[in-house]
Amino acid sequence: MQRRELLKLIAAEPLAGAAGRLIAAPAAEGARLLVVFLRGAYDCTSLLVPTASDFYYASRPNIAIARPGQPGGALPLDGNWGLHPALAQSVMPLFQQKQASFIAFAGTDDLTRSHFETQDSIELGQALDKRRDYRSGFLNRLAGVLGAGPVTDVSPIAFTDQLPISMRGSAKAANMALAG
């Protein structure tokens, strides 16, 4: 079985808990990981549309993205999911070239109902039942494991006004504000 097929299988069974696990790919020449953390008005069911769900359409009668094939309809990814039509020229080609993928129902067990607490939980990547260490974000720990440093090819960089929580830690990470 190829890794891609295994990932499809895992993504198809999110309630089994497998979708939340990271499966490491073998090192590849020039491979890069891009993490886009959207804050604020991002609505996951408008980006990744559950087109096979009657519940989605019943519970969002005025804001649901239409089914594929209808005017303004979602771009079909498979029989159950679609992509927002505004992403036809940007993300859809990446999906078609197997350079982008989606894992539905991936998330956190943070039940605080606080937008800010949940963001911190995701960026820290730490167990919720322990004291949080705001000096250690999950991407910085990953960079440390992968060997971030001046001699290696691992060069973490953030493009924000200030270094995000996920990049805080002992591995050196550059930061560049996009507005500047």
Side-chain angles (χ1 to χ4, degrees):
M1 175 180 284
Q2 291 185 349
R3 187 180 74 236
R4 185 175 313 281
E5 296 305 313
L6 177 63
L7 288 173
K8 284 182 186 176
L9 243 155
I10 289 169
E13 294 296 329
L15 298 178
R21 296 189 189 111
L22 173 67
I23 298 176
E29 186 75 27
R32 300 288 183 259
L33 171 66
L34 173 65
V35 176
V36 179
F37 193 85
L38 300 174
R39 297 180 180 275
Y42 164 69
D43 177 3
C44 66
T45 55
S46 287
L47 179 115
L48 185 61
V49 183
T51 56
S53 170
D54 292 332
F55 176 77
Y56 167 75
Y57 290 100
S59 60
R60 293 179 157 223
N62 300 319
I63 63 170
I65 305 301
R67 295 183 198 266
Q70 296 179 353
L75 308 168
L77 297 174
D78 62 22
N80 297 311
W81 299 95
L83 193 61
H84 192 287
L87 301 172
Q89 301 302 315
S90 56
V91 178
M92 190 61 168
L94 295 172
F95 176 79
Q96 292 168 331
Q97 296 167 17
K98 300 184 187 304
Q99 294 179 350
S101 185
F102 305 94
I103 300 176
F105 306 114
T108 175
D109 56 357
D110 181 348
L111 301 177
T112 64
R113 299 185 59 83
S114 164
H115 176 73
F116 302 105
E117 289 289 323
T118 301
Q119 285 181 163
D120 288 354
S121 292
I122 293 168
E123 287 199 71
L124 290 169
Q126 300 168 3
L128 295 173
D129 59 348
K130 298 181 181 174
R131 187 164 183 240
R132 292 182 174 177
D133 180 359
Y134 282 86
R135 299 166 297 163
S136 178
F138 85 96
L139 286 174
N140 192 278
R141 292 194 304 275
L142 175 62
V145 169
L146 296 176
V151 182
T152 68
D153 199 24
V154 178
S155 304
I157 185 169
F159 298 97
T160 58
D161 289 336
Q162 48 182 280
L163 192 66
I165 293 173
S166 61
M167 299 286 274
R168 293 180 188 168
S170 58
K172 292 185 179 186
N175 189 53
M176 178 185 299
L178 291 177

